[in-house]
Amino acid sequence: MQSPKRAALLGASGYTGADLLRLGVRHPGLKFVALTANTHAGKPMASVYPHLGWAGLPDLVANEDVDFSDIDVVFCGLPHGASQKLVAEIIEQNPSVRVIDMGADFRFRNAADYGPVYGADHIAPQLQDVAAYGLTEHNRESIKEARIIACPGCYPTAALLALLPLVKAGAISTDDMIIDAKSGVTGAGRAPKQNTLMAEAGESVTPYGVGVHRHAPEIEQEIGLAAGVKVAVNFTPHLIPMSRGELVTAHVKLGNAANADAVRDVLKSAYADEPFIQIAEKGAIPSTGHVRGSNYCLINVFDDRIPGRVIVIAAIDNLVKGSAGQAIQNFNVAFGFDEATAIEALPLFP
Amino acid sequence: MQSPKRAALLGASGYTGADLLRLGVRHPGLKFVALTANTHAGKPMASVYPHLGWAGLPDLVANEDVDFSDIDVVFCGLPHGASQKLVAEIIEQNPSVRVIDMGADFRFRNAADYGPVYGADHIAPQLQDVAAYGLTEHNRESIKEARIIACPGCYPTAALLALLPLVKAGAISTDDMIIDAKSGVTGAGRAPKQNTLMAEAGESVTPYGVGVHRHAPEIEQEIGLAAGVKVAVNFTPHLIPMSRGELVTAHVKLGNAANADAVRDVLKSAYADEPFIQIAEKGAIPSTGHVRGSNYCLINVFDDRIPGRVIVIAAIDNLVKGSAGQAIQNFNVAFGFDEATAIEALPLFP
Amino acid sequence: MQSPKRAALLGASGYTGADLLRLGVRHPGLKFVALTANTHAGKPMASVYPHLGWAGLPDLVANEDVDFSDIDVVFCGLPHGASQKLVAEIIEQNPSVRVIDMGADFRFRNAADYGPVYGADHIAPQLQDVAAYGLTEHNRESIKEARIIACPGCYPTAALLALLPLVKAGAISTDDMIIDAKSGVTGAGRAPKQNTLMAEAGESVTPYGVGVHRHAPEIEQEIGLAAGVKVAVNFTPHLIPMSRGELVTAHVKLGNAANADAVRDVLKSAYADEPFIQIAEKGAIPSTGHVRGSNYCLINVFDDRIPGRVIVIAAIDNLVKGSAGQAIQNFNVAFGFDEATAIEALPLFP
Amino acid sequence: MQSPKRAALLGASGYTGADLLRLGVRHPGLKFVALTANTHAGKPMASVYPHLGWAGLPDLVANEDVDFSDIDVVFCGLPHGASQKLVAEIIEQNPSVRVIDMGADFRFRNAADYGPVYGADHIAPQLQDVAAYGLTEHNRESIKEARIIACPGCYPTAALLALLPLVKAGAISTDDMIIDAKSGVTGAGRAPKQNTLMAEAGESVTPYGVGVHRHAPEIEQEIGLAAGVKVAVNFTPHLIPMSRGELVTAHVKLGNAANADAVRDVLKSAYADEPFIQIAEKGAIPSTGHVRGSNYCLINVFDDRIPGRVIVIAAIDNLVKGSAGQAIQNFNVAFGFDEATAIEALPLFP
């Protein structure tokens, strides 16, 4: 086995950063030499995340205290907007470093699409040329070569894993796609907010971002690219009283497939060799509990009562397959490790 | 005020029965003289439901030990199938008793529709003539006169409150109605089942009954009646890790209304004088937490990214407005009490 | 019935304030004419608490915008420290107004005890002379007369209801009292904090304030007063992944009582006529779920494996009997209403 | 590395069985060749536990269909009582097989103690001679040699890890030990029961087995053995609304240690070289969330307000360190593998 890659993690105090460490510290090909969290600089990791106290990690430092010339790979867990400037500097000043970004800044293939969605123009649009959209199962070739790997949003990951093969095959129509989604509260991050307090989010289900969520244009980009047409999708997320887990319930019209069985067959073919994607047996219903804490994705298809429609359901863990796990999967692809290294753990159930 | 009505509750050991007691014991026009629960006959209520220990209720008895000639109103919380035979006997042998059924047995206006959905022919189809569909806000006149009031299912209650006025007004189309629904675990009842164990239902979101749930035909019946056409709807319920609460996210096509604002206006008009229905202000998102434990229903409408579509969202408490609360509301209508009596308590938040 | 008392609520945006309104708006003897929340001044209540949208409440204003000369009773839900100054002004400038404080500022009978516990000297110690400690069942006479009623902390309410009659009767010893307590997250308030985020507090049990919680000296004050000696108690609270509810598990040594049965009998006698306190039957285990949302308190006693010891367990809802409900109960006592008015609703279970 | 041991798992449909597979299938020294679950015999594992669908496991069979002559190690996840007979047969008929029992049948060093606690005499008392009590950190030498390794109960594991070194050192007294414990619902198993339904256990904290729980005598056995005297402990467990996790809050009297710092030092010394036990820094509070899904144990010590007492708090995952993880740790010790193999994954937080 090759010697471990020297890694920096930017934004180690967020949930995706912490989950990357949870998984990554057991990766024989990864050595974390710098962890940043500007507001916690100087602290031991165990004081910010006691569950990482067993990991023997370096103390947190500020972003500006990292010597990136000594780094092979930068994992970036910074909020959107924050990573653009820093990543641009790192990429330009360190010719051999590669960046795996778990944030939103490099997900739009056309950087001009970024501003309208995220409220400010992209400041490093030129980097989009060296960036790959990191939906592993669908973009391995570009991931292998890219300087920047932009990991998809959690919702796009689940939605696209479920729908992309169907769109590519023409099995479903791109008209009138209704993507009703449900997520645990970790998707909202660790910064204290009233709506993710246990007293508010607990024992309730609450839609949010109805019609305006930022993951909708990202889904539309990839569906549109696969279909060769511009598409608009309904994307309606709901906050669920649980920590982890994401479920996409896609209500779609049939294309050239006759029914749910035919649609399921298309997915089974498309993912036959994929270690992390499982198409469930007919009738078995995916639950987020079946993938908790893991990099796996469970999908199934059901007939609708409305003729000509099917319901495609996909479950992932938003922090793992939807973020940190997929980031490691992409690292494995990009650096030539076995793709399942460090993310092969089975789901934690119950 | 008139003297209290003498009431029997059949099936007092189920969640809907218990919630009916929670509310009903504070009703000045109700006196519970018989509570049945065959498997618990002989026990004090406090041993089955400690939270009712303060209520001074009679001990549980078997159904056959109730003297119905002495009763004004029978609330029925029995499982579907079980109530038909018993209600038929009660109705036929006691000319003045009226029945408010929280179960499914009298919800189909045409008793022939019952068999295919519930798996056995209806044994008292003749009673359908004296039964009213108890969606209070839409059927007050028939509820006032009926011998049997069939309270709607919990999902139909939420879905129909949100959609019926829009269908009646032509504001939305009846084509392609996608009703994605979410419910707490009390909807599954108190009988121990593996899938509603906390270890299984907790920290997970799981669809169920996809395409085959029994509430779909009930919704179709009422939508179809209002529209004057036969309709098929997509109805996709999900089990949410919470006890109470039900959210309906209806993805529908516009009819003669131009957009979400126009649809909201139709609802505001329709429900202007209703004490229990609130159409939220533009942008305010209904949550089940906002109606927990109460008889209220909160509704709002949002524009979809797909042109020509809107998203109508309604939140109720499945055990109250979706069952026991609506039963009391119907009792109030049927027996001439102020409609809000005993169900005017505000929601329990958090 | 007397005409409604005109009430102001200070701190209407906190959980205790909101719960006071939930209950109080249905009180025929209470009319809320002013609600304050400085950071939300000008907003309708429904925008801060959608579940109160049905209550027809006045909009929020700043504290300084209230005309207290027009008020009969002030309910105070401000944080400790904040209420002292304001309450002093109100009391001194408005001779007939009475204050029911749900905060901590007037709970110490000797104001000199306040500083060491709350970190700043009390600025209105003279008011302690007109204040009563508002543990309703044990202090009715002083509550009837007091200008200020200092409602006990939530933990002291549960602990004292369980232990005070036993200490008074000598049934248990005051040596070595171990009070292991468990609370839902609403006890921490609505201000966003990392440790009460659902992702942090959910699916976990976490002790807090071990050995240093501010409710310990309050418990010691009242136990000591009843026993006539200075006492020190072990008080160890735990944060439980639920919104509401508080359980006190008191591990205590027997005094003159022989065993758990004898201890239970002392409690049964002491609370025989109390509408809100129930001593459970032998063997029945109190759960917070049995009192959720209500003003009730459920207590039972168990033999310990260690000879000479018993375990006394009490369950309350921290926001109701532990705060807003007890405040209304005290209002009823102080203003001559039936003591159960507006707080007689049964617990919400499940 | 030695070739993989051939393993059978009896009781693969329970939670501890499933968690043993979750961890064990990634163990390079373990090959599961037989999984039993009599009521599910014939089914694929994925139909009973969808989260294990990725594991490539054999289908379930009945106990009697296993050829134990072909097995190196039997993991037993059967209920107490059920394993005695089967284990006796296996041990007697297969001279080289070793058994790691996660159930209660071989935990009492004197088999005569079994009957009074579990309600039936032990039918294979002679096997107690070849059994070791599998509290790994305290019994490695006997575990290495034993035919049967009796993994401790989940509560005894947490309590003994926290208290045994202190008792051995005389740092604390064995008089008056109050062990107030809290557990998630998985401790109650997967068989549907009313009290572990989400609607019942959710949003509530409920004591159970007060004074009579079967883990108390087991704790007393080991404490007594270490102290050289017979002891009685208070053991009071509570059901917490979470799936996994167990917290022991032990309220104990000081022995020869002066205070919490001194007690903490004793633990730090005792566990200095232990990979799975961490004594937290002064003031850091253990939470079950910090060990979820992992084999780790986090302990800390706090001064009590009552002079001469301290509070020792330990957190584990009841299914891992409290059962399946410790079973694998014992397997590693018994068969000469690195002790952390397959159980080194960090906790899943949040």
Side-chain angles (χ1 to χ4, degrees), chain D residues 230-254:
Chain D
K230 191 167 161 52
V231 301
V233 304
N234 166 312
F235 175 66
T236 312
H238 297 73
L239 190 66
I240 303 296
M242 59 186 189
S243 280
R244 287 168 180 259
E246 203 156 84
L247 191 87
V248 157
T249 311
H251 307 277
V252 294
K253 287 183 171 161
L254 287 166

Side-chain angles (χ1 to χ4, degrees), chain B residues 15 40 48-49 185-186 189-194 196-203 240-243, chain D residues 15 40 48-49 185-186 189-194 196-203 240-243:
Chain B
Y15 287 144
H40 294 287
V48 177
Y49 282 113
V185 296
T186 49
R190 201 184 203 194
K193 300 188 198 89
Q194 186 180 283
T196 50
L197 290 178
M198 176 139 200
E200 307 273 327
E203 281 289 298
I240 303 296
M242 60 185 188
S243 281
Chain D
Y15 287 143
H40 294 287
V48 177
Y49 282 113
V185 295
T186 49
R190 201 184 204 194
K193 301 188 197 88
Q194 185 179 285
T196 50
L197 289 178
M198 178 142 198
E200 306 273 327
E203 280 290 296
I240 303 296
M242 59 186 189
S243 280

Side-chain angles (χ1 to χ4, degrees), chain C residues 210-211, chain D residues 260 264 282-286 300-304 309-313:
Chain C
V210 181
Chain D
R264 191 183 306 108
K282 183 172 182 166
I285 293 185
N300 210 347
V301 189
F302 299 84
D303 286 309
D304 195 332
R309 283 189 156 273
V310 290
I311 303 160
V312 188
I313 298 173

Side-chain angles (χ1 to χ4, degrees), chain B residues 109-133:
Chain B
R109 290 163 186 267
N110 180 347
D113 292 342
Y114 180 87
V117 177
Y118 287 92
D121 283 350
H122 203 291
I123 61 169
Q126 74 285 3
L127 289 184
Q128 211 57 50
D129 292 343
V130 296
Y133 186 73

